[in-house]
Amino acid sequence: MGPLFHVREAHLPAGSLIQPGRWGATVLKRGEDHPFFFREHLLEIWRREKTSVIVSRFACTFAFESQEVARQWASQHEFVLPVFPADQLAPRARLDMLWITWMGEPGATTDKVAQWCAGYWAGRATTDIKPNARASWEWLFACPLRVA
């Protein structure tokens, strides 16, 4: 596996470790005031109840497979850092983030949200149902990431 790409508001030097759980802590700290609080809980319930995926979005580190996709997600004040998992044997999941984007679109029905949640946690590509979609592959790791 080549380098992956992590989006961060601060530049970190090579060798730095990015610890898991930061996203989850941010969402939980803000509670319902966080714009993705309920979405993240829905994803977590789905993962625990309907999949065998070990890695929780609340307790992981995130990395994009593509530098281009990472740059699209980064704000103008954020850095895109090349990273590797610190533990090559740690649990991980490769998932298409575009499913999550679709979950928040206007007019998304409960049935569609459930379908997209299932597609996300199954590791399916959004192109499986929409050939012109542009998959946004992310990796979730149950370990720190090391900056390359």
Side-chain angles (χ1 to χ4, degrees):
M1 175 186 297
L4 300 169
F5 302 93
H6 179 79
V7 175
R8 188 111 177 155
E9 70 283 349
H11 180 26
L12 298 173
S16 297
L17 287 178
I18 299 166
Q19 296 298 327
R22 187 170 151 206
W23 171 248
T26 300
V27 170
L28 295 173
K29 181 179 178 183
R30 288 187 51 199
E32 66 182 35
D33 289 336
H34 193 285
F36 302 123
F37 178 78
F38 294 105
R39 179 197 77 188
E40 291 298 330
H41 278 286
L42 169 65
L43 286 163
E44 183 64 7
I45 291 165
W46 192 281
R47 180 193 67 81
R48 289 182 2 195
E49 301 293 324
K50 297 187 177 285
T51 79
S52 60
V53 176
I54 295 171
V55 186
S56 166
R57 289 177 56 83
F58 282 128
C60 73
T61 48
F62 294 90
F64 290 98
E65 194 166 281
S66 156
Q67 188 173 24
E68 176 189 354
V69 172
R71 285 192 174 135
Q72 289 170 357
W73 281 91
S75 75
Q76 68 184 57
H77 303 292
E78 292 179 308
F79 295 86
V80 174
L81 305 172
V83 296
F84 293 93
D87 178 354
Q88 294 299 321
L89 301 177
R92 64 196 63 204
R94 180 181 184 255
L95 308 165
D96 183 352
M97 276 187 68
L98 187 54
W99 295 109
I100 295 177
T101 301
W102 290 353
M103 289 172 65
E105 289 184 347
T109 65
T110 302
D111 289 340
K112 284 291 187 188
V113 169
Q115 176 188 352
W116 296 332
C117 199
Y120 175 76
W121 285 116
R124 290 180 50 211
T126 48
T127 53
D128 290 351
I129 65 165
K130 198 177 215 181
N132 63 339
R134 291 198 60 199
S136 297
W137 293 106
E138 69 176 347
W139 285 83
L140 281 55
F141 292 96
C143 71
L145 298 175
R146 184 175 308 281
V147 179

